[in-house]
């Protein structure tokens, strides 16, 4: 079985961290669909942004929504979700650095989908630099929230941008997973149920 097919199957088995929230009607790629927020035909035009938690943290619904979007191939949308947190996080704080690293990693995902390898490597490299600066933080919540250390994520990011997956053509607007890793709190090794498998099929809207 080819690598692309394995990635597609893997994405179908990916869990949701905020399953009650519906995915956007399309995964935005610049110039290929209406801009999500600026164009009246955009999937989030005039929509209310998810309220930010009173305490900006990796335990907030906004952060978990970003995880869902990222894990299921909505990279531009994940960028937007995490940017809202980054904008209000304390300047110079490790948390703000984490959000910025994830934003850049999401941008790399968009560039990989656009087959712009040089730009993908640039964004992934900047993300890795920020993530490695978090290696010595005493706050272990980052490892818990990501399911891996920031340093490990930096390695994954650079590897994915250096040798991007051979992506197959998809229908316009369909999300497409380009990273083989999965972000999110550890599930404790519990198997994914058949109901969860149905809930995470790429491109399927949650009711």
């Amino acid at each position: 079985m080819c690598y692309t097919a394995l990635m597609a199957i893997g994405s179908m088995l990916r869990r949701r961290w905020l399953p009650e929230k519906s995915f956007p009607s399309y995964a935005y790629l610049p110039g290929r669909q209406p801009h999500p927020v600026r164009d009246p035909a955009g999937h989030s035009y005039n929509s209310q942004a998810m309220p930010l938690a009173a305490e900006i943290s990796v335990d907030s619904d906004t952060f978990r929504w970003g995880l869902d979007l990222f894990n299921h191939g909505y990279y531009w949308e994940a960028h937007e979700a995490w940017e809202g947190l980054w904008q209000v996080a304390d300047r110079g704080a490790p948390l703000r650095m984490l959000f910025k690293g994830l934003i850049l990693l999401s941008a790399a995902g968009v560039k990989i989908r656009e087959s712009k390898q040089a730009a993908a490597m640039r964004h992934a490299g900047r993300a890795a630099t920020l993530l490695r600066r978090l290696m010595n933080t005493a706050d272990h919540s980052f490892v818990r929230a990501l399911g891996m250390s920031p340093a490990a994520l930096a390695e994954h990011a650079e590897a994915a941008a250096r040798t991007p997956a051979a992506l197959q053509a998809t229908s316009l607007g369909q999300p497409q997973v380009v990273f083989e890793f999965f972000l999110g709190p550890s599930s404790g090794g519990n198997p994914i149920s058949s109901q969860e498998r149905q809930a995470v099929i790429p491109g399927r809207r949650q009711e």
Side-chain angles (χ1 to χ4, degrees):
M1 184 177 294
C2 71
Y3 177 69
T4 302
L6 286 171
M7 288 185 69
I9 291 173
S11 69
M12 292 172 64
L13 303 180
R14 294 183 173 206
R15 299 186 67 171
R16 289 287 309 272
W17 305 116
L18 210 65
E20 67 275 12
K21 188 169 175 62
S22 298
F23 279 134
S25 57
Y26 58 87
Y28 177 64
L29 287 178
R32 302 187 191 180
Q33 298 99 13
H35 190 280
V37 296
R38 294 200 296 262
D39 192 307
H43 65 55
S44 298
Y45 184 74
N46 276 346
S47 65
Q48 292 287 335
M50 179 176 288
L52 295 178
E55 179 182 355
I56 306 305
S57 75
V58 293
D59 295 317
S60 70
D61 281 352
T62 303
F63 181 79
R64 289 174 176 156
W65 178 230
L67 292 177
D68 275 347
L69 291 165
F70 184 93
N71 287 332
H72 293 269
Y74 294 85
Y75 298 112
W76 187 91
E77 291 79 6
H79 174 293
E80 287 292 292
W82 285 325
E83 186 166 10
L85 293 171
W86 171 76
Q87 288 176 343
V88 295
D90 291 339
R91 291 187 178 276
L95 193 58
R96 183 179 172 93
M97 195 179 302
L98 174 68
F99 295 149
K100 186 63 175 180
L102 292 172
I103 288 167
L104 289 166
L105 187 54
S106 300
V110 172
K111 295 306 177 184
I112 291 173
R113 287 208 64 192
E114 293 181 303
S115 299
K116 296 180 178 179
Q117 187 175 0
M121 290 182 67
R122 183 171 63 252
H123 288 308
R126 291 177 61 200
T129 297
L130 289 174
L131 292 167
R132 289 195 177 96
R133 288 171 61 185
L134 298 171
M135 287 175 58
N136 298 323
T137 181
D139 188 348
H140 297 292
S141 64
F142 294 170
V143 176
R144 173 177 53 80
L146 297 172
M148 67 180 79
S149 70
L153 179 55
E155 295 292 333
H156 283 304
E158 289 179 328
R162 187 166 53 248
T163 311
L167 302 179
Q168 295 179 343
T170 60
S171 59
L172 186 64
Q174 181 179 345
Q176 191 172 30
V177 174
V178 303
F179 299 116
E180 63 178 357
F181 55 86
F182 175 77
L183 296 179
S186 171
S187 62
N190 296 324
I192 297 175
S193 68
S194 59
Q195 182 178 7
E196 287 173 322
R197 288 190 179 95
Q198 292 299 316
V200 300
I201 296 175
R204 175 174 176 168
R205 290 177 63 86
Q206 307 301 304
E207 303 299 335

